[in-house]
Amino acid sequence: MRAVVCDRLGDPSVLKIEQRPVPAVGPSDVLVEVGAASVNFPDVLMLTASYQHKPELPFTPGMEGAGTISTVGAEVTNWRPGDRVIFGVRPGAFADYVRLPADGNLMRLPSSWSMAEGAGFRVGATTAYHSLVHRAALKPREVLLVHGAAGGVGLAAVQLGKHLGAQVIATGGDDERLAVVRRLGADLVINYRRDDFVPIVKGLTDGRGADVVYDPVGGEVLEKSVRAAAYGARLLVVGFTSGGPTRIMSNRVLIKGLSVLGVRAGETARRQGSALARDYAVELPRLAELGVMRPHISHRFPMDRAADAFRVLIERKVVGKAVIEMT
Ligand SMILES: NC(=O)c1ccc[n+]([C@@H]2O[C@H](COP(=O)([O-])OP(=O)(O)OC[C@H]3O[C@@H](n4cnc5c(N)ncnc54)[C@H](OP(=O)(O)O)[C@@H]3O)[C@@H](O)[C@H]2O)c1
């Protein structure tokens, strides 16, 4: 089979395609023939060992994908060959086949979804769901401010926020990409490269501010979010695409009675008995069937152009997801 391989750290030009044996299937495993896999920001960080999870070299990148089960192990009763699935892996999705535990990160692909859509669901949906439902307990009619809203985890939060009945204000750095975010559900979009979002959010909320802030960007965006937040607001720290960790003024956190909530969707899902692990099996497949958080795919590449799929993410061109299609 073909696999995208990273055998030295660097920019996306280090990626190459190699032939690898199709993985052998153990008794409790399934083998998935991958239809498509999507690129996430952590994939970019893993190429330079800048992510918290540092796979040993050489490794095949890719945290999520969709495909068709081709083989099931002797003890597997819940899946059959031919089942179309969405899967998560740590990492290894950018290959023709992936072996996974049958009771692991697998869910059924909704029948009306393409492989590309399925490939872009899992990371964004689990992150948005864990953030808004478990961590922030977002309520209908609350004001949700989503930063980096054209990105994978940002757009999923816009879509889920609308589904949960919130008023969604979305920020991003490009008008054209924000127009898509608006079309996909945001009530208002703000270009934070041009406009200061603080007075706009304040103006829209009669001076009160946002009830929940969802921030995958960090840096100045998070610093300013403290000012755009309402008294008693919840600030979700999701990521740092702007560069690195951010200092927040603790006096402002105190004075505004803010709750600063760290989000670790993947780690929480791996913890046995966590609410996210339960909801991953039941609630996320239900939402997917309803079409909630159906991914928007702005870029598609064949496997031999995997590096370009990384580049469009780095260059901030993606709306929703960029995917690599295997067939
Ligand atoms: N906490 C968790 O459980 C969890 C789970 C998954 C991902 N994450 C984190 O969430 C963040 C977003 O991941 P993603 O896969 O959604 O990424 P993505 O699709 O690339 O979206 C990130 C967004 O960040 C914005 N951005 C601002 N400054 C940027 C910069 N200097 N370089 C690149 N993008 C910049 C971009 O929007 P504009 O161009 O419009 O500004 C872009 O749309 C990452 O930090 C990732 O590690 C966290």
Side-chain angles (χ1 to χ4, degrees), residues 41-42 127 151-153 172-173 177 192 238-241 263-265 313 316:
F41 205 80
T127 307
V153 302
R177 288 160 59 231
Y192 51 33
V238 178
F240 317 102
T241 53
V263 174
R264 280 202 74 191
L313 204 80
R316 300 164 77 166

Side-chain angles (χ1 to χ4, degrees), residues 1-156:
M1 70 167 193
R2 297 167 307 160
V4 176
V5 173
C6 172
D7 62 4
R8 64 191 165 94
L9 300 179
D11 65 25
S13 63
V14 301
L15 296 173
K16 52 190 174 185
I17 295 202
E18 288 186 353
Q19 289 296 323
R20 292 283 155 96
V22 173
V25 177
S28 56
D29 295 334
V30 300
L31 187 68
V32 177
E33 183 176 5
V34 182
S38 77
V39 187
N40 287 280
F41 205 80
D43 292 312
V44 173
L45 298 176
M46 277 185 234
L47 290 190
T48 52
S50 313
Y51 190 57
Q52 58 252 30
H53 177 53
K54 297 177 177 47
E56 237 176 75
L57 294 171
F59 70 92
T60 291
M63 299 163 64
E64 62 175 334
T68 307
I69 291 181
S70 62
T71 312
V72 300
E75 292 167 9
V76 175
T77 54
N78 52 342
W79 297 106
R80 290 194 194 150
D83 284 346
R84 285 161 33 103
V85 292
I86 291 172
F87 67 86
V89 60
R90 242 201 145 204
F94 301 158
D96 285 324
Y97 289 90
V98 171
R99 177 188 52 208
L100 298 156
D103 60 356
N105 291 323
L106 279 168
M107 63 175 256
R108 219 163 277 281
L109 178 71
S111 56
S112 65
W113 287 24
S114 65
M115 288 285 173
E117 289 171 318
F121 177 76
R122 188 182 169 276
V123 172
T126 48
T127 307
Y129 187 89
H130 182 50
S131 298
L132 301 185
V133 176
H134 295 146
R135 301 297 276 144
L138 180 70
K139 295 189 272 298
R141 289 179 297 284
E142 283 193 315
V143 175
L144 169 66
L145 175 61
V146 177
H147 295 307
V153 302
L155 193 49

Side-chain angles (χ1 to χ4, degrees), residues 229-257:
Y231 185 84
R234 293 89 87 201
L235 248 62
L236 294 155
V237 178
V238 178
F240 317 102
T241 53
S242 65
T246 311
R247 288 177 200 276
I248 313 182
M249 301 298 285
S250 55
N251 59 333
R252 295 214 172 125
V253 172
L254 180 152
I255 284 165
K256 285 190 121 172

Side-chain angles (χ1 to χ4, degrees), residues 145 147 171 190 192 195-201 221 224-225 228:
L145 175 61
H147 295 307
T171 70
I190 305 170
Y192 51 33
D195 300 322
D196 184 352
F197 62 83
V198 177
I200 302 175
V201 173
V221 167
K224 285 167 100 175
S225 294

